[in-house]
Amino acid sequence: MSHSATRIANDEQRAASDPYVSAFVGASAGSGKTTLLVNRLLRLMLADVHPGRILCLTYTRAAAAEMAIRLRRVLGEWVAKPDAELDKALGDLGEAPTAALRDKARRLFATVLDLPGGMRIETIHAFCQSLLRRFPLEASLSPHFRLIEETDAGAALSEAREAVLGAAERQRLEDALRLLAGEVSANDFASLVRTLGKRPDDAIAAAALPPEALMARLRAALGVQAADEAALIAQGVLIPDEAGFRQALQRLATVGSAGDKARAAAALDWLARDPASRAAAWDAWLDVFLTDGGKTGRRSPRAPGGLVAGKAAKAEPGLTDAMLAQQEHVCGIEDQQRGLKVAEFCAALVRLAAPMLEDYGSRKRRTGLLDYDDLIARSERLLANPGAAWVLYKLDGGIDHVLLDEVQDTAPAQWRIANALTGEFFAGAGAREDGADAGQRPGRSVFAVGDRKQSIYSFQGADADAFDTERARLAARVKAGGARWLDGRLDVSFRSAVPVLALVDAVFAQPGAAPGVVERDAGGALVPLRHIAARAGAAGAVELWPLAPQPP
């Protein structure tokens, strides 16, 4: 184990686990995120924070269980440790050992054991369920609501789907059904409906719009600048710098290869037409710049050598530039056409899915059932409702410190719940104790830890960009309240060897690979990845395999 790496890791852990500081920590896999969370919990309790006033939210039940087990193990060990060993353990945490602190540390095990319900280390869904159990009427729920299992939820949604599809003709949805049936399988369609089910109110509201209004919104969202395909092609037949391009084509027809001359002749023939005739022969114009697609039918831009052959390209590079400029124009129109198709498919999907989601929602309401998405949506609505402000007041009286784990997988709605819970933490008297100096009970704090590189739950609404957005928003709130703030990092890996970490850092140092993975500084510049191996000298290797081509 590298002594310098261990020292760096200990310094990072101590700084981030300081109970007197609110922090947002970026931590790579194997760098000790769970250890950091447990250390923070321990130091909060050693600083006289009652364990019942701490809420720790994580993403999975396995992570919550792991954290709770580790915490109990450490507290149990503290009870039996001799003074010297306990002093060392407290010192490693960053605390100055005293007789009083040893006594407090040994009593924490019993304190946590006697806590009604135990430590509040739970998933966001479990927290929302307990919140709604506590305030069902304020959330407009039956006090006896039940949580539907995922298999049962899937079965109920399937029933709703079959009911709507069976009545598609009667509900005037056959056009939407016909359009989608040619593009997606039954399983893919079911998956898309489940995805829309994450935000059913939005889908239902969208379907209620007049068809043209819905299409206009979808086109705007996709950046499509025309109402239909005819309008797009009408834009496409207006050639940028047409006179200059004609001259380039005429020159290509003189100096180019046989293939060049054929392309130039076809292009000049198309340019000789009037706009209406050009639009009718649009496919012929595409043939000049795009491949035929072969067996897959997927047309793609020709390589520069497929536009102007080698001799002519070398002799007169301007010819290739002219052809590439027109190819870019054509590809822009093709992209717009694809965007228009996507808008049409999305509109059809919304039209079909909305009645399914309404049916599914009514089935749940009749039987007093909630699914996991309902837990999040209902809790968010409850905490944001001005008429239920006293709910926040009641919660505010019982939570002083919030710890958020795996925040790279936190969806926007879940962030809004976390922000509502901590909204008054740094607002004037809401901060309660100052907590600026060690020795006093810590002021209220928020702690978040995660690794944007590991964000894998986009299908459940997680947004990796929210990692940076929420960090900046939280930092601004804490600083505006006069509290201490830390932008922390855990750079030391206890899991991987030097060659593996060096490869990761080298790959994501490339400009094309960095966006979306590498974090940005306050000025928006990418911050290079830096991993320090704790296992100095350990053997490690990386095998580079040839890429496997994607099948058609």
Side-chain angles (χ1 to χ4, degrees):
M1 186 74 72
S2 167
H3 294 298
S4 61
T6 302
R7 185 176 65 254
I8 293 171
N10 289 339
D11 290 345
E12 289 175 341
Q13 289 272 349
R14 287 169 184 155
S17 63
D18 185 348
Y20 298 91
V21 174
S22 288
F24 197 114
V25 179
S28 297
S31 60
K33 292 195 295 288
T34 305
T35 298
L36 175 57
L37 285 158
V38 171
N39 287 353
R40 176 119 183 158
L41 290 171
L42 292 170
R43 295 186 72 181
L44 282 167
M45 292 187 287
L46 288 171
D48 288 329
V49 174
H50 190 275
R53 307 190 78 86
I54 303 171
L55 173 64
C56 185
L57 298 177
T58 187
Y59 206 75
T60 65
R61 281 178 284 191
E66 172 69 13
M67 205 180 309
I69 289 169
R70 286 204 202 183
L71 181 66
R72 285 197 297 269
R73 183 186 302 138
V74 172
L75 293 178
E77 289 172 353
W78 281 3
V79 173
K81 277 185 185 293
D83 287 355
E85 291 183 22
L86 183 54
D87 284 351
K88 183 181 184 306
L90 295 173
D92 289 344
L93 274 179
E95 301 293 332
T98 63
L101 191 64
R102 282 197 301 271
D103 181 60
K104 188 186 300 181
R106 289 183 172 124
R107 284 188 282 105
L108 282 177
F109 182 77
T111 302
V112 170
L113 201 62
D114 291 339
L115 193 66
M119 286 288 294
R120 299 167 74 177
I121 301 173
E122 51 195 353
T123 65
I124 183 72
H125 292 99
F127 170 76
C128 290
Q129 186 175 1
S130 65
L131 174 68
L132 296 175
R133 290 278 181 216
R134 189 174 172 188
F135 303 103
L137 300 181
E138 291 79 3
S140 302
L141 289 172
S142 163
H144 307 292
F145 75 82
R146 292 181 295 121
L147 187 62
I148 187 173
E149 293 298 325
E150 287 192 31
T151 52
D152 295 332
L157 187 55
S158 295
E159 291 175 7
R161 189 169 63 249
E162 294 304 321
V164 170
L165 292 178
E169 183 175 356
R170 188 167 64 253
Q171 297 185 30
R172 298 182 180 179
L173 297 172
E174 61 267 34
D175 288 343
L177 179 58
R178 191 175 298 111
L179 179 62
L180 285 176
E183 296 297 325
V184 297
S185 67
N187 288 338
D188 289 340
F189 175 69
S191 177
L192 290 168
V193 174
R194 285 196 299 272
T195 300
L196 286 178
K198 304 290 180 184
R199 299 172 62 178
D201 293 343
D202 290 345
I204 292 168
L209 293 171
E212 235 351 280
L214 176 59
M215 279 297 295
R217 291 195 183 188
L218 288 168
R219 288 196 300 269
L222 292 163
V224 178
Q225 299 167 359
D228 54 38
E229 189 172 7
L232 282 175
I233 294 178
Q235 294 176 12
V237 301
L238 303 176
I239 305 303
D241 187 23
E242 183 171 331
F245 187 51
R246 282 177 182 271
Q247 292 178 358
L249 288 171
Q250 289 163 355
R251 182 62 183 159
L252 183 61
T254 301
V255 303
S257 66
D260 292 339
K261 292 176 180 179
R263 274 189 297 278
L268 287 168
D269 179 65
W270 188 86
L271 287 173
R273 299 166 178 258
D274 59 56
S277 297
R278 287 182 181 183
W282 179 248
D283 284 345
W285 187 241
L286 296 182
D287 290 340
V288 176
F289 302 99
L290 306 181
T291 65
D292 62 8
K295 293 180 180 180
T296 66
R298 298 173 185 168
R299 308 190 73 169
S300 58
R302 294 185 185 277
L307 296 172
V308 180
K311 286 186 178 180
K314 289 179 181 178
E316 299 189 35
L319 297 179
T320 302
D321 293 340
M323 293 291 282
L324 288 173
Q326 294 303 325
Q327 184 187 64
E328 184 178 357
H329 174 67
V330 166
C331 289
I333 299 299
E334 286 287 283
D335 282 343
Q336 290 274 303
Q337 286 181 298
R338 283 189 284 269
L340 187 61
K341 287 291 185 186
V342 170
E344 292 171 353
F345 294 142
C346 286
L349 174 63
V350 167
R351 296 282 182 206
L352 274 176
M356 298 175 189
L357 297 176
E358 286 182 299
D359 186 293
Y360 175 54
S362 66
R363 289 169 188 261
K364 289 189 293 182
R365 285 190 295 273
R366 286 197 304 269
T367 52
L369 296 173
L370 296 182
D371 60 24
Y372 287 103
D373 294 325
D374 293 329
L375 292 177
I376 299 294
R378 293 279 190 163
S379 297
E380 181 192 356
R381 200 176 304 153
L382 171 64
L383 295 176
N385 182 2
W390 77 280
V391 172
L392 273 175
Y393 172 77
K394 293 285 285 184
L395 289 173
D396 196 45
I399 301 173
D400 287 340
H401 302 272
V402 173
L403 287 73
L404 305 171
D405 184 23
E406 303 289 8
V407 290
Q408 77 276 357
D409 291 324
T410 302
Q414 296 166 353
W415 271 116
R416 289 191 287 271
I417 291 172
N419 290 333
L421 292 173
T422 60
E424 298 299 319
F425 273 24
F426 310 102
R432 291 193 184 154
E433 296 86 3
D434 181 352
D437 302 312
Q440 301 178 18
R441 182 178 300 166
R444 308 174 88 180
S445 70
V446 179
F447 175 84
V449 62
D451 178 12
R452 63 174 298 138
K453 299 187 296 301
Q454 296 183 67
S455 182
I456 60 172
Y457 286 102
S458 59
F459 64 93
Q460 293 188 7
D463 180 5
D465 291 337
F467 188 88
D468 298 320
T469 304
E470 294 298 335
R471 173 166 53 188
R473 182 178 295 145
L474 186 56
R477 282 174 48 210
V478 173
K479 292 174 183 177
R484 294 166 59 192
W485 170 257
L486 172 70
D487 256 323
R489 297 182 63 83
L490 298 184
D491 293 324
V492 178
S493 173
F494 294 91
R495 184 176 300 169
S496 296
V498 172
V500 177
L501 297 174
L503 177 73
V504 170
D505 291 350
V507 167
F508 291 105
Q510 304 301 313
V517 173
V518 179
E519 297 179 24
R520 297 182 181 272
D521 61 19
L526 294 170
V527 179
L529 281 184
R530 182 190 74 147
H531 289 98
I532 302 169
R535 298 168 57 203
V542 176
E543 290 186 16
L544 298 181
W545 288 15
L547 295 177
Q550 182 178 1

